[in-house]
Amino acid sequence: MAEPEVEAAWRAEFKRIGENQLRDALNSGAGIADEPKRQAAFRWLGDEAAERREEKTYHYDYVRWTFCCRYRCRDRRPYRCRFNFLY
């Protein structure tokens, strides 16, 4: 594993390059010859995928919660509903 400053510089470079181009470069075999940099690239891609999954999960939970609140309030009068802010 490289030093934190070096890996931070690599991560900035990976972000500038973009996920798709970096993945293509790693899969082609001719992209990154330095083994520590290759490993850092794989870690960065994994971190980006985990972050994307986390954002999707948060969005899904919000949509599900909103739907459940609307469903519970549909037959009630708006002034009696606890979730009046959703109307």
Side-chain angles (χ1 to χ4, degrees):
M1 194 162 172
E3 300 202 14
E5 300 86 21
V6 175
E7 190 155 343
W10 288 343
R11 284 180 173 264
E13 180 183 345
F14 299 153
K15 188 171 183 82
R16 185 175 41 81
I17 292 172
E19 285 184 58
N20 292 335
Q21 288 182 340
L22 182 63
R23 189 175 295 110
D24 290 343
L26 290 171
N27 289 337
S28 69
I32 301 174
D34 188 24
E35 187 60 29
K37 190 172 182 179
R38 267 178 73 81
Q39 294 304 318
F42 283 122
R43 281 193 301 276
W44 183 78
L45 285 171
D47 293 346
E48 290 295 310
E51 185 177 314
R52 199 169 41 254
R53 273 193 308 273
E54 185 175 307
E55 288 174 4
K56 280 185 178 179
T57 302
Y58 175 76
H59 177 73
Y60 173 73
D61 288 344
Y62 176 76
V63 169
R64 186 178 60 183
W65 183 84
T66 304
F67 176 76
C68 289
C69 290
R70 291 288 289 176
Y71 181 76
R72 289 180 185 148
C73 293
R74 73 181 175 155
D75 294 332
R76 297 180 184 161
R77 296 176 192 254
Y79 65 87
R80 298 186 70 198
C81 184
R82 263 188 245 155
F83 306 106
N84 197 16
F85 63 90
L86 295 173
Y87 282 104

